[in-house]
Amino acid sequence: NGITPRRWLKACNPALSKLIDKKIGEDWPRDLDKLQGLAKFASNKTFQKQFMKVKLENKELLAEEIRKSLDIEVDVNAIFDVQIKRLHEYKRQHLALLNI
């Protein structure tokens, strides 16, 4: 139904949302098919630099949160693979049995 993509982009990734707003207008959250309008910018060097800047800034924010929360330094130039999923109680119990 598109709620998750809108919520993620608008609430969790405001910098990327603003970049998209600048390129295709602010009404894309009401019609996610409008995101296809970004395709024409895929080979645009200026857009690529803007996108990579947003991506790096987000990685820097995450690296800082990891450092503060876990006292672990991560390289923002590394590939980040983050997966977050709500685990139901029975799954947590199963993982506890396996010592995971």
Side-chain angles (χ1 to χ4, degrees), residues 11-74:
C12 299
N13 203 335
L16 180 57
S17 179
K18 287 177 187 171
L19 178 59
I20 293 170
D21 287 350
K22 287 180 192 174
K23 295 299 176 186
I24 63 171
E26 297 180 8
D27 61 340
W28 60 266
R30 290 183 288 281
D31 181 4
L32 291 179
D33 288 335
K34 291 186 177 184
L35 290 174
Q36 293 175 8
L38 290 173
K40 65 183 172 190
F41 299 103
S43 60
N44 180 296
K45 296 294 182 195
T46 302
F47 177 74
Q48 290 173 358
K49 287 179 184 176
Q50 292 169 328
F51 177 82
M52 293 306 291
K53 181 177 184 271
V54 168
K55 184 176 176 178
L56 179 61
E57 289 170 353
N58 283 335
K59 286 175 82 171
E60 289 169 345
L61 289 171
L62 178 57
E64 179 61 18
E65 183 63 32
I66 293 169
R67 188 195 62 71
K68 282 195 271 185
S69 300
L70 303 172
D71 197 29
I72 297 172
E73 297 285 333
V74 295

Side-chain angles (χ1 to χ4, degrees), residues 84-98:
I84 299 172
K85 181 169 174 40
R86 183 188 70 211
L87 293 177
H88 295 283
E89 182 60 29
Y90 73 93
K91 290 179 182 177
R92 287 194 295 274
Q93 291 168 350
H94 184 82
L95 292 172
L97 282 172
L98 297 173

